[in-house]
Amino acid sequence: MKAQAIASFGEPSVFQTIELPKPEVIPGHVLIRVAATSVNPVDFKLRRGAMPAIAPEFPAVLHGDVAGVVEAVGEGVTTFKPGDEVYGCAGGFKGMGGALAEYMLADADLLALKPKSLSMKEAAALPLVAITAWESLIYRAKIQPGQKVLVHAATGGVGHIGIQLAKWAGAKVYTTVSNEEKKAIAHNLGVNTVINYRQQTVEEYVAEYTSGKGFDVVFDTVGKDNLDRSFAAAAMHGTVVSISTRSTHDLSPLHAKGLTLHVVFMLLRMLYGTERAEHGKILFNVAKLVDQGKIRPLLDPKSFRFSEVAEAHRYAESGQAVGKVVVEV
C-alpha cells in the first residue's frame, strides 16, 4: 500500500510517498480502507520532533483521525463488519500505524460507526476534537443546564465542538474570537455571546456579561497566558478545564476563588491501552448528536489530497485555518 511517511523529524518537506506492506488484521482490531484524515496540532508536533516519546518508529506514518470503510475484522470483533463506514482517532503514535496510508489497522474499541449525515471528509474532522471536548465538558466539568460557560477560541478544532456540546447540555455559552469573520462563525454555531478578546479585557467582559461574578465553567483550549486569563474569568467555586498545560503558572488565583482545575490529555487511553472503549462510546454518542443536527464539524474551505499532506501541514501550522484541515486519501 502507499503511505505518506517521514524518515526523520523536521519541516513538512520530510513527508515522502513510500510503499509499505498492507497490515494484516489481528484479534480485537479492524482493517480500515482510509478515505480521509485530518490535521491536529499533535500531528505536526510529532512531525517536528517535539514529542519523540510518543512518536511511531521510522518510517513513521502519522495522523490519528480517520474515516473510512472496514475491509476486514479480527477475531473477537462483533461491533463492526466488512463494509461498515467508521470513524475514530486510532493511531499515528508509538506502536500504532497512522491514517496517512491507504489502509490502517485500528483497535475496534477506538472506533464508532460514522455519522450517517456526514461525508467521509467531514467525519474525519471530528474524532480527536470531539473526544477532547466531551471529556472536558461532559465528563470533567459536568456542565449543568443554565450555567454560564466560556469557551476560548470559537473557531479552533476543539473550541467549535466545545461550543456545540455546551449548548446541547443546556448551558448559556460565551466564546472568544479575534475578528469579525470568526465572530459570525461563532454565532452560526449557536453561541449566546461572542467576545472579541482584542477589544475587551477579561475584567471588562466579566463585568459586562456576569456582573463581575465570573463564569461557572471556563474551557481553555489555548494554554500558556490564556490559562491565567481563564483563572481570572472563572467565578468563585468555578471550574476551569484546560487541554494545554505544559507551562508554569501562579496558582494563587485558584486558592483565592476555590477553583477546580481539570487537565485533559485525550491521548492517554490510546497510549496506555486502558479503557479504550470509552473513546468508541463517546464517538457513538457524538454520531447520534451529529445526525440529530446538534453538532456539525467546521472545516476550513481549503481542501488537500493525499499527495498534498506537506501543504496541509504548512497551512495548519500557519494559524490561518478556520476550523479543521482535512486530507482526503
Side-chain angles (χ1 to χ4, degrees):
M1 67 173 184
K2 285 185 170 59
Q4 289 287 338
I6 64 171
S8 62
F9 297 126
E11 295 302 309
S13 58
V14 296
F15 281 111
Q16 53 186 312
T17 304
I18 65 171
E19 287 284 341
L20 290 174
K22 182 179 175 181
E24 293 186 7
V25 72
I26 59 176
H29 289 62
V30 302
L31 184 64
I32 302 170
R33 186 167 71 252
V34 179
T37 180
S38 70
V39 185
N40 292 295
V42 68
D43 299 318
F44 52 75
K45 288 175 184 176
L46 284 169
R47 191 213 69 233
R48 291 195 306 237
M51 307 172 76
I54 64 170
E57 293 182 1
F58 297 129
V61 180
L62 304 179
H63 281 220
D65 279 345
V66 64
V69 179
V70 173
E71 184 91 353
V73 299
E75 182 183 346
V77 176
T78 59
T79 317
F80 306 107
K81 65 183 185 302
D84 282 344
E85 296 184 335
V86 296
Y87 78 135
C89 184
F93 305 101
K94 189 173 183 178
M96 295 177 280
L100 284 175
E102 292 179 306
Y103 294 91
M104 181 183 188
L105 183 66
D107 185 334
D109 283 346
L110 296 170
L111 305 171
L113 293 173
K114 177 185 76 66
K116 294 181 176 64
S117 57
L118 295 186
S119 66
M120 289 289 189
K121 180 179 177 180
E122 292 168 324
L126 277 174
L128 185 147
V129 296
I131 293 168
T132 302
W134 191 285
E135 287 192 354
S136 299
L137 297 176
I138 307 303
Y139 284 177
R140 297 293 193 90
K142 295 180 169 58
I143 290 177
Q144 301 299 312
Q147 284 186 316
K148 289 188 174 183
V149 176
L150 173 64
V151 178
H152 286 294
T155 61
V158 176
H160 86 277
I161 299 298
I163 285 169
Q164 295 174 84
L165 275 181
K167 193 73 177 176
W168 166 73
K172 189 172 183 182
V173 185
Y174 302 76
T175 194
T176 55
V177 299
S178 59
N179 58 46
E180 290 301 307
E181 176 194 1
K182 293 179 179 180
K183 181 177 181 179
I185 292 170
H187 277 304
N188 287 335
L189 290 171
V191 174
N192 295 93
T193 301
V194 183
I195 301 159
N196 187 324
Y197 66 84
R198 290 178 174 168
Q199 296 176 352
Q200 280 189 301
T201 65
V202 175
E203 291 73 22
E204 286 171 342
Y205 65 69
V206 165
E208 181 173 353
Y209 299 117
T210 72
S211 300
K213 295 179 180 179
F215 298 91
D216 300 302
V217 176
V218 181
F219 187 20
D220 168 41
T221 67
V222 180
K224 296 185 178 178
D225 291 347
N226 198 68
L227 183 55
D228 297 315
R229 288 189 282 271
S230 297
F231 296 158
M236 192 176 297
H237 304 302
T239 297
V240 176
V241 187
S242 179
I243 62 171
S244 182
T245 53
R246 292 185 179 90
S247 46
T248 302
H249 298 268
D250 176 7
L251 300 184
S252 58
L254 278 75
H255 184 85
K257 294 183 180 180
L259 302 180
T260 299
L261 171 63
H262 291 282
V263 175
V264 171
F265 183 28
M266 172 268 178
L267 299 179
L268 289 176
R269 289 189 174 95
M270 290 178 61
L271 295 174
Y272 292 96
T274 59
E275 300 177 328
R276 283 183 168 182
E278 202 62 44
H279 283 193
K281 177 183 173 183
I282 291 171
L283 290 173
F284 172 80
N285 289 327
V286 168
K288 286 201 301 184
L289 293 180
V290 169
D291 288 337
Q292 291 168 6
K294 304 295 184 183
I295 292 176
R296 66 182 187 276
L298 176 64
L299 271 62
D300 187 272
K302 283 186 182 259
S303 187
F304 298 90
R305 303 296 298 177
F306 187 53
S307 59
E308 300 171 324
V309 65
E311 289 85 349
H313 270 234
R314 286 191 190 95
Y315 184 59
E317 285 180 274
S318 72
Q320 297 173 19
V322 177
K324 293 297 300 290
V325 174
V326 176
V327 176
E328 293 183 270
V329 177

